[in-house]
Amino acid sequence: VRRPGKRELERALRTAAPEPPPELGRKLVAAIPEDLFAPRAEHGVSEVGGPAPVDAGGAASAEAARPVQGPSRRRRTSGPALAIAASLLVVVGAGWLATRLYQEGTGPAGEAPLAVRASADPEPLLETTAPPATSAGDAPSPRRRAAAEVAPDSRPADAPQAASAVGEETAEAAAPPPVTNPTPRDAIARLDDLAEPGERPADGDRERRTPGDVAPTAPAGAVLDAVSSDRRAPAATEELAAASTRQEHRDSQRSAEPEEPTESEALAGQSTGRERSAAESIATGQARLESEVRRLRAASVRDARTDPLAVTAPRRTAPDRADEPSSFFDASERALSTLTVEASEARLLQKADAGVSAAPDVAPLANLLDDVARSRVAAAGPVVAAETVAGPPAAGASRVYVFVSAIVTERGRGGAAGVLDTLELELDPAVAPRYRLLESEARPVDDGAPAGAGAGSRARQNAGAAPLFRLSALYELERADGAGAAARLGVVRVRAERPEPVESRPAQAELDRATTGGGERVLDVWTPVRAWASTHLELRLAVLSAQLQDLQAGGSSASIEAIQEEIARVEREAMAGSSVAEGAARLRTLAAAAATAGAPAEPAAPTAPGPRPDG
Amino acid sequence: MSSAEAPSSAPVPAPGRGARTRGEAELVDDLRRGDRAAAGALIELTYPMIYKSLVRMCGDGDTAADLTQETYARAWRALAQFDGRSRFSTWLYRIAYTTFLNHVRRPQRFVALDGEAGALVSAAETDALRRVDALRLRREVLALPEDLRFAVTAHFWGDVPVKEIARQEGLTSMAIRKRLRRAIARLRAAMGEESS
């Protein structure tokens, strides 16, 4: 073992780095903010504001010329801190006083203790079956209409009207249910009643889906296409509505039956403090209930999505993708967006029918992922990655783009045809109610990669291992108005159910074990921290490419002028001679051609490259 | 135009002219007095060092350029917090270092689920880091404990003098030298093990 000498190591550490590109300095200077000297409240410098606020007489004050951080800064921050501390004390004191008053039953308005008031409340709290809010102008689907018609039957005041709305079957639901003070425990018990036996979640695992949620026998993406709100067949629509009605009817029947008092109810009244804490957590239970109802409704959609539909649904192939591009799908109804790609085909699905075959694609974004795969080839299971950015300003603040990608190994080498790698983006409908798939592809990991970590496709083949493939997809989401800036959008899942390798040479077996662990990997996806303007150029270019492609296919995600403007911006910011600059130039040409054509252009003849020689 | 408007509307000089005629401390003083042109001159003075250190950290020229821009954007936002304890370039290097760490740790970036931050190894190696040894060395440096890593990257990659690192960290120069020695010893051991 030879350790490098100290001087040798220091010399290696001081290896010369490349000079910065000359245009970088100009960009940095151009990016000096106009309000460089403006007060910045977020840094607590509103009085000082950094360098030199100049007074009306034109002389920079000596006060402003001294270092900013110093005694004055401490003095500056002490005022707000004291105010916040005082406010907290007032709030805590008021809360304590209110608690004491409620415990003694002598509230300021002379109200009775909470348990009594709750029992007199004519409106039960567990009837929230309304669908999640959708964007303005989004017409309710038949399924939602059905839910809205059935939902009132659990309310005593509306019971006759509800019965007439849903017909004879729900007549018995007109009987007013016993009014209870539902606790979270009741809500959970009720949820278990709502769920079918096969769907009843185990304790502690209530929010998780099982890997079998999506039928693995057919391409799940095609299945979901069949039930999308825009392309749904009439038969599927009717079946979904019927399934929804049946589910809600079961719900109403159960709510009409007298419920046995639960343990919580039996204990009600014994301790007002316990009742109060239970009531305070009703909001939590209700939110959980809503979440479960959504889950059950999604499950009912899957129930209605019978195998015949799945079998007859078209596969996500190149000709099929041409007519699906610009419609948004409802995340609450479909619950899952699934991209299923047969990795062994290794076809560039998107380029084959995009009509923008010369445009850049999502591949540059995944270069880092290639490297991740190279460095993590010995890790178990597939590698998943996701990146989220806010949309371009022209597209509106509610647009979010999610790029997801996964590295998997080739499937089917041992004749296991029909086994699929699946990449899923599972959205939270409350945060991202609608979405659409902009681009997707499956391609082999670059075989020109250094084999130091053991991984380009060719290197892996030489080592007797299956090559790696990358599945990538770019989604456009509509974020809900009320969604927080750092809300969780959902999760990315990659399913990798792999057969045992047919051959089992030692090297191959080791690598196959390492990379074909099977099961699934899950990665949370969050709303963006990065704004569009600070997003790296490759992703901006990919989004613009997808928007132009959408426009050419008849969509209206952005105007051609806005796209051209953004392309020009990317081209200005890109380093001269870089791949981004070249891609932006190609895209600019295509956008100009589209603008000249005016009307949606015919898709160009596919010129996509085929699979790589080793793929 | 009143003299009060003059500083904010003064044109920013193009890089490459006039910057080296003034020292860094002088430029910072000018900046504090509201001389907007001093910001441009400071950029010209410091951005090669920031860019080079970021290239060494992330190994990718394009990413380093992006991070350089992000570094300066953050610096201008936090300008009021620069207290003059260390040199402006040292303070800027600390921002660049934090920006890089945020870049590789950001949950929205490519994240290997397998634990180790595979994203630390970037895609496109530059000419200087094309050799496998250099790649390994960079990986080992980035795998050092935080205190050692900052000292090594600042001193060797950012060309920040030991004295300046000590000021920035609030330590003595001797403490920084000890950290450098410990880091070099660790790197030697790690490189020796990998060689074996």
Side-chain angles (χ1 to χ4, degrees):
Chain A
V1 178
R2 178 191 170 273
R3 286 189 179 186
K6 181 185 172 190
R7 292 192 184 281
E8 184 185 355
L9 195 58
E10 290 183 357
R11 204 163 41 245
L13 282 169
R14 294 185 195 276
T15 303
E19 291 296 324
E23 65 267 26
L24 180 60
R26 286 194 294 273
K27 284 180 189 171
L28 291 172
V29 171
I32 296 175
E34 290 297 324
D35 58 345
L36 183 61
F37 309 117
R40 294 176 187 278
E42 65 267 30
H43 296 304
V45 293
S46 56
E47 293 95 344
V48 177
V54 180
D55 60 25
S61 66
E63 175 71 11
R66 61 171 167 67
V68 177
Q69 272 188 337
S72 67
R73 187 165 174 270
R74 286 194 293 274
R75 191 169 63 243
R76 196 171 54 249
T77 55
S78 62
L82 283 177
I84 291 172
S87 303
L88 283 174
L89 278 176
V90 169
V91 169
V92 170
W96 177 82
L97 182 60
T99 304
R100 291 298 303 268
L101 288 175
Y102 271 120
Q103 284 177 345
E104 296 170 1
T106 56
E111 295 174 352
L114 188 59
V116 179
R117 289 190 297 111
S119 66
D121 188 353
E123 187 169 353
L125 295 176
L126 293 182
E127 53 140 9
T128 308
T129 56
T134 58
S135 59
D138 186 19
S141 68
R143 173 174 161 71
R144 288 187 176 174
R145 281 199 296 274
E149 287 168 2
V150 177
D153 63 6
S154 62
R155 304 175 58 169
D158 299 334
Q161 182 183 353
S164 64
V166 299
E168 293 296 324
E169 290 181 353
T170 57
E172 61 270 27
V179 177
T180 60
N181 179 23
T183 64
R185 188 168 183 168
D186 299 332
I188 293 169
R190 188 182 171 90
L191 288 175
D192 288 341
D193 287 339
L194 283 172
E196 293 297 327
E199 297 172 335
R200 198 165 294 172
D203 287 342
D205 196 22
R206 200 167 293 279
E207 296 295 334
R208 293 182 56 190
R209 296 176 190 281
T210 60
D213 277 350
V214 176
T217 54
V223 173
L224 290 170
D225 286 347
V227 297
S228 71
S229 57
D230 299 284
R231 301 178 58 218
R232 184 186 301 154
T237 306
E238 291 170 8
E239 180 143 1
L240 286 176
S244 170
T245 305
R246 285 197 298 274
Q247 176 69 34
E248 300 296 342
H249 177 54
R250 283 199 298 272
D251 181 21
S252 64
Q253 280 183 323
R254 289 191 174 103
S255 66
E257 293 171 5
E259 297 177 0
E260 294 181 1
T262 63
E263 184 183 352
S264 298
E265 288 167 343
L267 294 174
Q270 293 181 4
S271 167
T272 55
R274 181 179 299 177
E275 282 296 332
R276 189 179 61 255
S277 66
E280 284 172 352
S281 59
I282 280 178
T284 306
Q286 192 169 1
R288 200 169 178 185
L289 171 66
E290 290 174 2
S291 168
E292 283 299 312
V293 166
R294 280 198 296 273
R295 190 186 72 80
L296 290 175
R297 297 179 70 197
S300 71
V301 171
R302 287 195 295 276
D303 287 345
R305 200 174 56 209
T306 55
D307 279 345
L309 267 181
V311 171
T312 56
R315 289 196 50 174
R316 190 185 291 275
T317 58
D320 177 46
R321 288 178 51 81
D323 58 5
E324 81 160 34
S326 60
S327 54
F328 270 95
F329 300 132
D330 193 322
S332 66
E333 289 193 353
R334 294 181 40 157
L336 291 172
S337 164
T338 305
L339 170 68
T340 302
V341 182
E342 195 162 358
S344 58
E345 296 177 1
R347 291 186 302 169
L348 302 181
L349 299 180
Q350 186 62 30
K351 283 188 171 182
D353 64 330
V356 230
S357 55
D361 53 22
V362 297
L365 303 172
N367 285 341
L368 274 178
L369 195 62
D370 282 359
D371 211 54
V372 171
R374 285 202 297 276
S375 63
R376 303 302 306 158
V377 71
V383 182
V384 182
E387 180 165 18
T388 315
V389 297
S398 64
R399 297 292 173 89
V400 175
Y401 295 90
V402 178
F403 171 75
V404 296
S405 194
I407 295 287
V408 297
T409 54
E410 184 189 29
R411 190 68 71 84
R413 194 156 60 97
V419 184
L420 304 174
D421 290 315
T422 303
L423 185 67
E424 297 176 356
L425 176 63
E426 179 180 332
L427 299 170
D428 181 353
V431 180
R434 301 206 309 161
Y435 74 94
R436 62 176 174 163
L437 176 65
L438 293 178
E439 289 192 41
S440 64
E441 69 171 15
R443 66 163 54 187
V445 170
D446 185 11
D447 60 349
S457 290
R458 192 180 301 281
R460 287 175 51 78
Q461 278 187 330
N462 292 340
L468 296 175
F469 282 85
R470 180 178 56 234
L471 310 181
S472 305
L474 182 66
Y475 293 90
E476 183 176 358
L477 315 182
E478 277 188 2
R479 194 164 53 176
D481 292 338
R488 176 177 169 275
L489 287 169
V491 298
V492 176
R493 295 174 191 274
V494 59
R495 299 256 166 80
E497 299 164 5
R498 301 181 182 287
E500 290 296 322
V502 173
E503 304 173 38
S504 105
R505 281 179 292 163
Q508 178 202 336
E510 182 180 351
L511 283 171
D512 279 348
R513 266 200 308 277
T515 53
T516 62
E520 66 175 12
R521 287 274 169 162
V522 182
L523 179 67
D524 276 323
V525 183
W526 302 82
T527 45
V529 174
R530 284 191 165 211
W532 174 258
S534 62
T535 302
H536 55 91
L537 298 178
E538 288 92 339
L539 183 51
R540 289 162 66 178
L541 202 56
V543 170
L544 293 170
S545 165
Q547 285 184 334
L548 178 60
Q549 170 189 313
D550 172 50
L551 195 68
Q552 287 190 314
S556 58
S557 60
S559 67
I560 185 66
E561 293 80 11
I563 293 173
Q564 285 181 305
E565 187 179 342
E566 284 295 325
I567 293 172
R569 192 168 291 128
V570 169
E571 200 169 4
R572 278 198 304 272
E573 294 181 17
M575 299 294 168
S578 67
S579 61
V580 175
E582 292 173 5
R586 288 202 305 272
L587 197 59
R588 171 169 44 82
T589 307
L590 290 165
T596 305
E602 289 293 324
T607 57
R612 289 174 183 273
D614 63 338
Chain B
M1 181 198 311
S2 72
S3 58
E5 296 170 357
S8 60
S9 59
V12 178
R17 185 173 288 274
R20 289 192 175 82
T21 60
R22 289 185 286 177
E24 190 177 306
E26 194 178 346
L27 286 171
V28 171
D29 286 343
D30 291 347
L31 189 61
R32 283 188 175 134
R33 292 192 194 95
D35 183 0
R36 186 177 166 79
L42 274 171
I43 286 178
E44 190 209 352
L45 199 63
T46 54
Y47 89 91
M49 180 271 286
I50 296 296
Y51 173 83
K52 287 179 181 178
S53 60
L54 284 168
V55 164
R56 284 160 165 156
M57 278 188 261
C58 63
D60 177 13
D62 288 342
T63 306
D66 284 350
L67 294 181
T68 304
Q69 297 187 54
E70 195 173 336
T71 296
Y72 279 93
R74 293 173 65 173
W76 299 138
R77 285 198 298 270
L79 187 60
Q81 297 174 20
F82 174 58
D83 56 3
R85 188 176 56 190
S86 63
R87 285 190 342 206
F88 182 79
S89 56
T90 309
W91 177 73
L92 205 57
Y93 176 81
R94 183 78 209 196
I95 295 178
Y97 178 78
T98 309
T99 303
F100 166 73
L101 291 184
N102 288 342
H103 169 73
V104 297
R105 290 171 179 166
R106 190 174 285 139
Q108 291 79 16
R109 301 292 299 172
F110 299 111
V111 175
L113 292 183
D114 312 301
E116 185 181 331
L120 287 178
V121 184
S122 67
E125 281 92 8
T126 60
D127 290 341
L129 298 174
R130 198 172 290 281
R131 290 177 308 162
V132 173
D133 280 347
L135 190 65
R136 273 171 33 199
L137 180 58
R138 189 178 67 210
R139 193 186 308 158
E140 294 299 336
V141 168
L142 295 177
L144 286 172
E146 169 60 29
D147 53 345
L148 304 185
R149 182 171 58 203
F150 178 72
V152 167
T153 56
H155 185 62
F156 292 107
W157 292 353
D159 294 328
V160 182
V162 169
K163 197 172 176 181
E164 278 296 312
I165 301 174
R167 280 182 186 162
Q168 174 70 30
E169 295 290 282
L171 298 170
T172 63
S173 298
M174 184 61 70
I176 298 299
R177 287 200 181 88
K178 279 184 180 176
R179 286 185 178 183
L180 288 173
R181 276 200 296 272
R182 280 167 48 208
I184 292 291
R186 282 196 183 212
L187 289 175
R188 287 180 63 196
M191 296 297 285
E193 285 171 6
E194 287 207 6
S195 298
S196 67

